[in-house]
C-alpha cells in the first residue's frame, strides 16, 4: 500500500470529521451566515498570504525536479489572493486590518517551522495534507452549492482540474519520497500527516466558531 | 519610556487576564484538581523540551555578547526537564506518550518560526515575553501557596533570584535592541510582544481547560 | 549620500580590479581561450542554479512588497539556465558532471547562509552587489565584443534593459532599507557589501585561472 | 563496511595530501615561521568562533539523544577560544581586527548553509569530517613536536582523550545515521564527506600560504 493510501486510512476518523463539518455543509446548502463565511474568508486570506513563504522555504531543500513546480506555486498563490480581494469586494467583506486567530496563526507557524527544521520529505508531507484537505473539503461543497452563490468561485478554485492535478502530483511525489526514506523518517512523516489533518479540522472549527483568542474577551 | 515599559503598558489588559487566571489562583490556593495540574505539567514538559531548539536557533543570529548567555540556557533547560521528571514521579504523573495540544504545538511553532524568519531583535522579543510571563505568573502563585505543596518546586524554579536576574537581563537587552532598531522593526517587535502575551494567556486557558484539539472528540 | 553610492565609493579599488579583469578584457577583445570561457560557463551554470534557493530563502523574510518581485526572479533564473544549455550545445561545451570550484562553492554557501542567518536588509545587500557586479562586468564586455561571437548572448542577457531595470530597482530598494536600518545594521550591511565585491572579483580570478581546489593535484 | 570506513577509503588521496601537508610537518619539526603559524591562529580563531552558530543550528534538527551532546559543545568551543586568546598573548600574536580569508569564510558559510538546507544526517557528516580532520592532523604534529613549543597547547587540545572520544562518538553516530538513511540521502552524505575533506585540505593550504583574497593586492 502506498504511503498516502496508508496514512489516509490510518487517519480516516479525522477526515470524516473534517468532511462532514458544519461549515462545509452549510456553505454547500446555502444556509451559512454571511458573517460566518466572511470570517473564514478573512482568516484564509491571511493563510494563503502566509503560504507563500512556506513554499519559498521549501525550495532550497527541494530536489532539482521539484524546484520548478514549487516556483510556479508562488505566482499561483498571488493569483489566489486576487480572487479573495475580488470576492471580498463583491460580497462587501473587508480584508483590511485582519489579525489571525490562534488556530490560523499556529497553523501558519507550523508550516514555516516544518520547512525550516524538518527534512524535505517531512515538510512535503505537510504541504500535501494541506492541499489534499482543501481539495476534498471543497469537493464536498461543490456537490450541492448553488452555482450562483457569491462564494462559488472559491469552490471552483479548489476543485478545478488544475488543482486536482496538483494534488495528484503531490500525492505521487510524496509516495516516492516515502519509498526512498528510511523507517525513522517515514515514521515522522506519518506523525506530521496526522498533525496536519488535525490542524485542518481545527481550521474549520475556527471558521465556524470565530477568530477570538482563548481567554481574551 | 523604555520599549518594555511601553509595551507592558500597552498590553496591560492581556497581562491582567493572564495574572488573574483561575489556573494560577487555584494553584496558589491549593484548590486545583490534581488532574488539571497534571495536564499542565505534561504540556509544559513538551514546551520546555521544544524551547531548546528555539534557543539554539537564536544563537546563529545573536550578537557575540549574547551567544554565551544563550549557550548557557540550553543546559539550564535540560535541568528544568529533570525537575519535571522528578516531580512527575513524586506526584504520580506519567510524562510518557504525551502529545501536544493545539495551543502548545502552535506556540512552539511560533517560537521556532520566529527564530528562523524574523530579525534577531524580533525573535528576542518573543523570548523575553515568554520568560517574563512565566516569572510574573509564578510570582502570583508564590504569594499564598503552601510550601509543602507537591507543586511548590515549580514555583521556586520560576521565581528564584536566578530566574529573576535572567528576566531582568532579557529586559535590559531588549530595551537596547529596540533603541538600536529602526521604526519599522520596532513596530514589528511591538506586534510580536502582544502576540506572545496572547499565546501565554491561551496557554493558561489550555492548562485549565484541557489539551483536546478543536473539533476532535 | 545614498547607501549604495557611499559603498560603491568606499570599495572603488575592488570594483576597478573587477572591471579591468583580464577575463572580461579578453572576452571583449575575442582573445579569450575557448576552454577558459567554457570553464566560466560550467561554473556559472552551477552558480545560477544555486541562486534559485538563495532567492527562495529570501522570500519568507521579505516585506510584502518585495515578495512578488522576488517570486518572479525564480522563473527568470530557470530561463537563464536554458540560455546556458543552449549556448553549451552551440559551443560544444559539456555541462554534465561539473563540480564547483572552491570559490564558486564558497560563494554560493555565502549567499545561502546570508539568507538564513542575516537580517533581510543584510541579505538583500548581498543580492544587490552580486547583480550589480554582473551588470557592470558584462557592460565592460559589451563595449567592444564582436556581436557575432558565440558568447554574445551572455552579454545581451546581463546588459539588457530588463536586467538594468532590475539592478536599478535593487539599488533603490537597498537605499531605502539602509535608510530604515539602525546604525549597527547599516554597518553590517556595509561589511557584506565589501565582502560580496571581493567574492565577485575572486570569481573572475577563478574563471580565468581554473576550477581546481587548493592543494589538490 | 561502515559508512565512515567506506568514505575514508574512498577519499584516501585527499586525506594523504592533508596529513602530509607542509604546514603540519613544519609545525611538528619546529621549522614553521612564526608569522605562518600566527596566520593560521588568527584564521582558526575566526573559524572556531563561527563553529558555535553551526553547532547551534544543528540542534533544532537533532534527534533528542544528540541535543545534550551538541549543547555541551558550545561551552567547549568558548573554552577553545580562550585557549587561542591565551596563546596569542604568550606568543605576541594579535587577534584584533582579523578578517577571514576566502577559504576560511567560504568554509564557515558551507557549515552554516549545510545546517540550514541539508538533512540532519547530511549536516552531521560535515561536522564529523571537520572534527576527524583536526584530530588526525594534530596527531601528525604530536608525533615529533617539542613539548616546550609555544604551539604545543593546540596539539594537546585536539589530540586529547576527550577530543578523541568526541570524534569516536561522532563516527559511531554517523555510521548509525547512514544505516538509517535511504540510498539517495546516503549518496548526498558521501558527496558532503568528500567536499568537507577538500575544504580541510584547502584550509591548510591557506594556513601555509596566507590569507589574501584572489585578485586582491
Amino acid at each position: 500500500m502506498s504511503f498516502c493510501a496508508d496514512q489516509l486510512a490510518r487517519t480516516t476518523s479525522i477526515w470524516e470529521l473534517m468532511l462532514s463539518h458544519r461549515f462545509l455543509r452549510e456553505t454547500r446548502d446555502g444556509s451559512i451566515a454571511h458573517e460566518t463565511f466572511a470570517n473564514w474568508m478573512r482568516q484564509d486570506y491571511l493563510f494563503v498570504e502566509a503560504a507563500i513563504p512556506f513554499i519559498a522555504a521549501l525550495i532550497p531543500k527541494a530536489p532539482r525536479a521539484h524546484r520548478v513546480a514549487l516556483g510556479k506555486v508562488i505566482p499561483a498563490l498571488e493569483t489566489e489572493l486576487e480572487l479573495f480581494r475580488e470576492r471580498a469586494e463583491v460580497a462587501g467583506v473587508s480584508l483590511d486590518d485582519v489579525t489571525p486567530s490562534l488556530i490560523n496563526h499556529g497553523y501558519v507557524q507550523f508550516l514555516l517551522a516544518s520547512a525550516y527544521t524538518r527534512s524535505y520529505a517531512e515538510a512535503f508531507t505537510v504541504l500535501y495534507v494541506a492541499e489534499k484537505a482543501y481539495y476534498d473539503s471543497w469537493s464536498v461543497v461543490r456537490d450541492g452549492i448553488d452555482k450562483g452563490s457569491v462564494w462559488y468561485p472559491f469552490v471552483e478554485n479548489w476543485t478545478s482540474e488544475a488543482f486536482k492535478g496538483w494534488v495528484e502530483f503531490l500525492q505521487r511525489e510524496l509516495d516516492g519520497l516515502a519509498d526512498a526514506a528510511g523507517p525513522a523518517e517515514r515514521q515522522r512523516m506519518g506523525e506530521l500527516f496526522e498533525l496536519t489533518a488535525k490542524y485542518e479540522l481545527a481550521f474549520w472549527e475556527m471558521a465556524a466558531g470565530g477568530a477570538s483568542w482563548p481567554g481574551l474577551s
Side-chain angles (χ1 to χ4, degrees), chain A:
Chain A
M1 201 186 238
S2 80
F3 174 77
C4 290
D6 190 29
Q7 293 297 326
L8 287 166
R10 195 176 69 80
T11 58
T12 298
S13 64
I14 305 172
W15 289 86
E16 279 172 3
L17 288 164
M18 190 199 300
L19 300 183
S20 62
H21 199 277
R22 71 184 185 282
F23 181 89
L24 300 176
R25 214 173 46 231
E26 292 176 9
T27 304
R28 183 191 63 199
D29 299 344
S31 62
I32 196 141
H34 187 274
E35 177 48 29
T36 302
F37 199 89
N39 171 52
W40 166 81
M41 250 182 98
R42 283 189 293 261
Q43 291 295 321
D44 208 48
Y45 181 71
L46 294 184
F47 186 83
V48 172
E49 205 169 52
I52 294 174
F54 169 54
I55 296 293
L58 288 176
I59 290 177
K61 297 178 149 185
R64 195 73 193 81
H66 281 196
R67 277 192 195 164
V68 178
L70 291 170
K72 285 178 185 159
V73 176
I74 294 176
L77 290 171
E78 298 284 0
T79 305
E80 213 162 277
L81 290 173
E82 282 166 30
L83 168 64
F84 276 82
R85 288 188 290 261
E86 183 264 341
R87 277 299 94 185
E89 195 157 331
V90 171
V93 174
S94 168
L95 298 177
D96 300 338
D97 303 318
V98 188
T99 55
S101 69
L102 181 146
I103 287 170
N104 192 1
H105 191 267
Y107 192 5
V108 161
Q109 307 300 303
F110 170 49
L111 297 182
L112 286 171
S114 298
Y116 282 100
T117 66
R118 300 304 199 121
S119 77
Y120 181 69
E122 288 164 41
F124 195 85
T125 305
V126 176
L127 172 61
Y128 165 71
V129 176
E131 298 289 46
K132 169 74 172 160
Y134 252 42
Y135 178 71
D136 285 5
S137 293
W138 291 99
S139 293
V140 167
V141 178
R142 189 190 48 204
D143 293 341
I145 190 173
D146 180 345
K147 290 191 178 178
S149 162
V150 68
W151 314 127
Y152 190 69
F154 290 112
V155 180
E156 269 186 314
N157 182 61
W158 287 299
T159 64
S160 68
E161 280 305 304
F163 193 73
K164 185 186 178 192
W166 167 241
V167 173
E168 286 168 350
F169 164 80
L170 292 174
Q171 183 159 330
R172 265 195 320 275
E173 296 299 309
L174 182 55
D175 281 335
L177 289 166
D179 286 347
E185 188 177 22
R186 199 153 48 235
Q187 167 75 20
R188 291 192 298 269
M189 291 167 73
E191 289 162 11
L192 288 165
F193 194 107
E194 182 175 342
L195 202 47
T196 312
K198 285 161 70 179
Y199 267 108
E200 284 290 332
L201 172 58
F203 201 90
W204 291 132
E205 278 289 295
M206 179 274 296
S212 67
W213 280 65
L216 206 62
S217 81

